[in-house]
Amino acid sequence: VVLYDGNQKDRAHLATAPKSTELTFSDSEGKTRFAAAMPGDGNGDISLIIAGPNGNKLFATESYGDRAGQFFYDASGKMRLGLGLEREGRSSVRLYDRQNQPSRLALQIETDDRPNLVFLNKAGVMRQALGLEPDASPFIVMASQVGGQPVTIDLSRDDKEEPRILLQSRDGHRRF
């Protein structure tokens, strides 16, 4: 189905096929400003995209199985912020750099409701994390460039209830 404006320009499209249904709206210049898509069986990914006057994405809502997210883009169409429900029900806020590199900073709420703040390098590898252990005691992890965890400051309660500093070699062996 195609809908036209008073100038006979197509402004809306509704398309159905055995594997998907799509709805799009275009501005007077023919640029798609709104798009929604859903698989034909209703069991797969669903997406909703809103674009700015230049046609670049400004906002998107997407779902992937049991995960869902909302994403915000800058004027050049690069993703800068993501709010999401990730695997196993973990919620997160992710910030992206100007080059649209993988998430550089993530605030996550673990499935057991513990908050974590994670800093990542340009390759998306965790370099530092701040958070809470299951007993609500705080920890700081500083990782190597390749993602190992050589230094952990952990205030977990042990028999003496004293803070610990744990050093690990690249192969994961503890060094004190």
Side-chain angles (χ1 to χ4, degrees):
V1 175
V2 178
L3 299 176
Y4 298 91
D5 65 13
N7 296 322
Q8 298 301 313
K9 291 185 178 181
D10 58 342
R11 299 292 298 274
H13 293 250
L14 173 61
T16 60
K19 294 189 177 186
S20 69
T21 300
E22 296 181 4
L23 174 65
T24 60
F25 292 98
S26 302
D27 63 18
S28 60
E29 295 176 10
K31 295 178 185 167
T32 300
R33 298 289 301 274
F34 173 89
M38 180 179 71
D41 62 8
N43 291 323
D45 305 341
I46 297 173
S47 62
L48 169 70
I49 298 169
I50 298 173
N54 62 1
N56 289 336
K57 285 184 192 177
L58 292 177
F59 174 79
T61 297
E62 300 177 1
S63 69
Y64 307 98
D66 64 346
R67 298 177 290 163
Q70 293 186 332
F71 307 95
F72 298 85
Y73 300 80
D74 64 18
S76 66
K78 294 180 180 174
M79 187 184 318
R80 298 301 305 276
L81 172 66
L83 308 172
L85 181 60
E86 299 177 354
R87 292 182 187 95
E88 301 171 358
R90 175 188 298 153
S91 58
S92 71
V93 176
R94 296 183 179 270
L95 302 176
Y96 295 80
D97 66 16
R98 290 180 193 223
Q99 287 72 43
N100 200 25
Q101 292 294 317
S103 174
R104 300 297 304 277
L105 177 66
L107 173 61
Q108 301 173 332
I109 305 297
E110 298 295 334
T111 56
D112 59 2
D113 295 331
R114 294 179 299 120
N116 290 320
L117 182 61
V118 181
F119 297 85
L120 301 107
N121 66 13
K122 286 186 177 186
V125 175
M126 189 272 296
R127 294 300 313 276
Q128 183 173 3
L130 311 167
L132 296 178
E133 297 287 359
D135 67 359
S137 55
F139 69 84
I140 299 173
V141 175
M142 291 170 274
S144 69
Q145 186 68 19
V146 294
Q149 295 183 5
V151 178
T152 300
I153 300 172
D154 184 350
L155 299 179
S156 293
R157 297 180 180 126
D158 57 17
D159 291 340
K160 299 175 187 175
E161 292 197 21
E162 294 180 1
R164 300 180 287 184
I165 296 178
L166 173 65
L167 304 176
Q168 289 179 288
S169 62
R170 289 182 190 255
D171 61 5
H173 292 94
R174 291 183 177 188
R175 308 281 187 239
F176 296 92

